[in-house]
Amino acid sequence: MSDGHGKGKVLDIKVADVKSVSPTFHRQAKKLSDALTTLINTLDGYGEPWGDDGPGKEFAKNYKPNQKHIESSTGILVLGLTSIHEALQDMADGHVDNDKLIEGMFTKAKHTPGGDGHK
């Protein structure tokens, strides 16, 4: 993709670039989802594994009141990454379809020698 330094160019989006970066968002959404599942299952499975010592109490004081918010926010991030993946795929597909449509408009046009191009 362009760095924006070209003359008059704002974006130079290449379908190959969009298609190559899209799976990254899917992979990262999966990794974040797996991490969230591990966090929830591990902590729920162990009860309160952080202990009753000073650091454990400090962790519990900060984590427990925010636990559902952390889980919910992380779920929203997973959905966001998934949405970006899907949007990039749709954008790439739409760009290809648009290029084919435009190409078809120009290849179907016939020029009549000596005519004004209108029928």
Side-chain angles (χ1 to χ4, degrees), residues 24-80:
T24 302
F25 287 94
H26 176 71
R27 283 190 304 273
Q28 297 307 320
K30 176 76 172 109
K31 286 181 181 181
L32 187 56
S33 178
D34 291 346
L36 176 61
T37 300
T38 300
L39 174 69
I40 292 169
N41 291 338
T42 301
L43 290 181
D44 286 349
Y46 289 136
E48 296 181 359
W50 39 82
D52 199 25
D53 60 357
K57 288 179 181 178
E58 186 66 26
F59 177 82
K61 181 179 87 173
N62 291 309
Y63 178 74
K64 286 179 74 171
N66 296 305
Q67 180 180 2
K68 294 300 176 197
H69 181 70
I70 291 168
E71 293 169 0
S72 174
S73 298
T74 306
I76 291 169
L77 289 172
V78 170
L79 291 175

